[in-house]
Amino acid sequence: MPTLAMAQDDIVLKLPPPQTPRNTSLVDALKARKSSREFSGKSLPPGLVSSLLWTAFGVNRPDSGKRTAPSAHNWQEIDVYAALPDGMYHYDAVAHALRQTVPGDLRRLTGVQDFVERAPLNLVYVANLARMTDASAEDRTFYLAADAGFIAQNVYLFCASEGLATVVRGLIDRKALAAAMSLRLDQRIVLAQTVGYPAG
Ligand SMILES: Cc1cc2nc3c(=O)[nH]c(=O)nc-3n(C[C@H](O)[C@H](O)[C@H](O)COP(=O)(O)O)c2cc1C
């Protein structure tokens, strides 16, 4: 990963500016979009991770702070976490940086399928219920699922356009992962998404 800046106990990976993705048309990306479950262990270059995270849920309108994926009421309640071999990171979209939240390799805990510990990156989509103000429990559950889905599809299309393998996953031991991530009670793990180079 790129520049490693350490401030007190904080580990922050400043991401390089997102690269202009390959010039794939939307139609070609849609034709190539698919779920893959066989990943190479090869790590992803920082520029690609940068573009991937920006595509997932980066700030695309700095004037308003709005993002590449829509969210109900513009709550922006989904936090994107990245499980990398050396730690779990929170994607700070405004700073376009990854902030380590837990040291160590948590990739295995992001799912129950074998490939999750081998792939170089597992994204975890976590809803912060505290941001979903004035909503019923039923509405929250509906909207947070929808909002995570938009982010996942952004990642699917990015991966399709870049020749990467990906699969979104609901099969997660949420209790174990939430404990490992030290999440609060008002944070809910929605989905995870594995990303890497295709095997072979
Ligand atoms: C909400 C959701 C949860 C999913 N959970 C898993 C999962 O836990 N594990 C997995 O291997 N695939 C999972 N998938 C992927 C689906 O199995 C896959 O999208 C479906 O078989 C269609 O294949 P395609 O994506 O290649 O079109 C999930 C997909 C969605 C939308």
Side-chain angles (χ1 to χ4, degrees):
M1 292 298 290
T3 329
L4 186 62
M6 293 189 68
Q8 295 170 347
D9 291 330
D10 297 340
I11 295 181
V12 180
L13 304 180
K14 289 185 180 169
L15 294 161
Q19 297 165 343
T20 309
R22 264 200 253 167
N23 197 15
T24 311
S25 75
L26 177 59
V27 170
D28 285 341
L30 286 165
K31 283 181 179 169
R33 190 218 64 83
K34 64 177 180 181
S35 297
S36 305
R37 296 173 186 83
E38 290 181 22
F39 295 86
S40 152
K42 186 180 158 193
S43 60
L44 300 168
L48 202 60
V49 173
S50 168
S51 300
L52 170 71
L53 290 167
W54 180 84
T55 303
F57 203 32
V59 175
N60 68 352
R61 287 154 291 168
D63 290 351
S64 62
K66 289 186 175 177
R67 316 283 282 270
T68 55
S71 62
H73 298 273
N74 190 29
W75 277 322
Q76 302 185 8
E77 80 278 12
I78 303 296
D79 284 314
V80 177
Y81 286 78
L84 290 164
D86 69 322
M88 181 65 81
Y89 292 82
H90 172 242
Y91 174 51
D92 177 340
V94 174
H96 193 60
L98 284 171
R99 300 184 187 284
Q100 192 178 90
T101 56
V102 181
D105 190 350
L106 269 57
R107 288 177 297 170
R108 186 178 61 78
L109 287 171
T110 68
V112 299
Q113 292 164 283
D114 288 349
F115 57 79
V116 300
E117 61 185 316
R118 173 172 165 79
L121 172 64
N122 286 277
L123 301 173
V124 183
Y125 305 134
V126 177
N128 182 342
L129 303 185
R131 286 189 210 129
M132 306 178 85
T133 46
D134 300 325
S136 67
E138 187 184 1
D139 281 351
R140 282 179 182 169
T141 301
F142 173 76
Y143 286 128
L144 67 84
D147 293 345
F150 294 115
I151 296 170
Q153 180 70 347
N154 283 356
V155 171
Y156 263 111
L157 292 177
F158 179 85
C159 290
S161 73
E162 292 291 324
L164 296 172
T166 191
V167 61
V168 71
R169 296 182 288 99
L171 289 173
I172 305 164
D173 180 342
R174 289 179 173 75
K175 204 172 165 188
L177 181 57
M181 291 175 70
S182 298
L183 296 182
R184 302 183 310 267
L185 288 176
D186 62 358
Q187 290 179 291
R188 191 181 298 173
I189 295 167
V190 190
L191 292 167
Q193 189 160 10
T194 308
V195 179
Y197 291 104

